[in-house]
Amino acid sequence: MEELLQPRHPLDKHHQAQLQALQQLPESQRAEMARLFRLGNATYRYQQLADGEVTEDDYQHWLQGLPERFRQAMEQGGFAGAKSSLALRRHALERRDVGYSAFMQAILSPEDWAFEQQQRAAAGL
């Protein structure tokens, strides 16, 4: 089962839970679920790069690019409320030239990267 989860979740308790979930699935469903876990694990690792690195300047820069209504909602909670937002964290990383696509392509297998691209294209992203 370990070989199905590369990249693995960096937190052992979550990695163990993923292994257990895969073991409980019928064999025919394991590969698909393992791929979803791998994609989630890679995304989690990307988001962790911003841990403690989001600044007030990142927040202000991010607000400038948001649609009016969303910007107003994000301003109500202030920097402290938005600091853990995945969108703000991604914005901060990309401002530092740590792009999501480049990170994901580097960490995922070519097959998983192709699947990720197909899903994004199907969703119009």
Side-chain angles (χ1 to χ4, degrees), residues 39 42-43 46 99-109 113 116:
L39 293 172
T43 301
Y46 176 77
Y100 177 80
S101 293
F103 180 87
M104 294 295 279
Q105 187 173 13
I107 197 170
L108 293 172
S109 70
W113 174 244
E116 166 87 357

Side-chain angles (χ1 to χ4, degrees), residues 8-103:
R8 65 176 277 154
H9 197 287
L11 300 178
D12 194 56
K13 70 177 184 175
H14 295 299
H15 176 68
Q16 294 303 321
Q18 289 176 353
L19 286 173
Q20 184 177 10
L22 289 177
Q23 289 171 344
Q24 293 174 353
L25 284 174
E27 180 99 22
S28 63
Q29 296 176 8
R30 284 185 188 155
E32 183 178 352
M33 182 57 76
R35 173 180 281 156
L36 295 176
F37 282 147
R38 290 190 304 268
L39 293 172
N41 293 346
T43 301
Y44 182 88
R45 286 174 176 267
Y46 176 77
Q47 289 291 334
Q48 291 309 297
L49 294 174
D51 197 27
E53 298 295 322
V54 178
T55 67
E56 179 81 32
D57 187 54
D58 293 324
Y59 171 68
Q60 293 301 326
H61 188 264
W62 177 63
L63 287 175
Q64 292 172 17
L66 296 178
E68 182 66 22
R69 297 181 97 194
F70 188 56
R71 182 185 56 74
Q72 290 173 349
M74 292 297 102
E75 286 177 327
Q76 285 180 355
F79 174 60
K83 201 171 178 179
S84 63
S85 160
L86 296 180
L88 175 56
R89 292 166 72 95
R90 180 174 177 173
H91 178 81
L93 286 167
E94 289 182 352
R95 284 187 80 193
R96 291 167 185 73
D97 291 328
V98 182
Y100 177 80
S101 293
F103 180 87

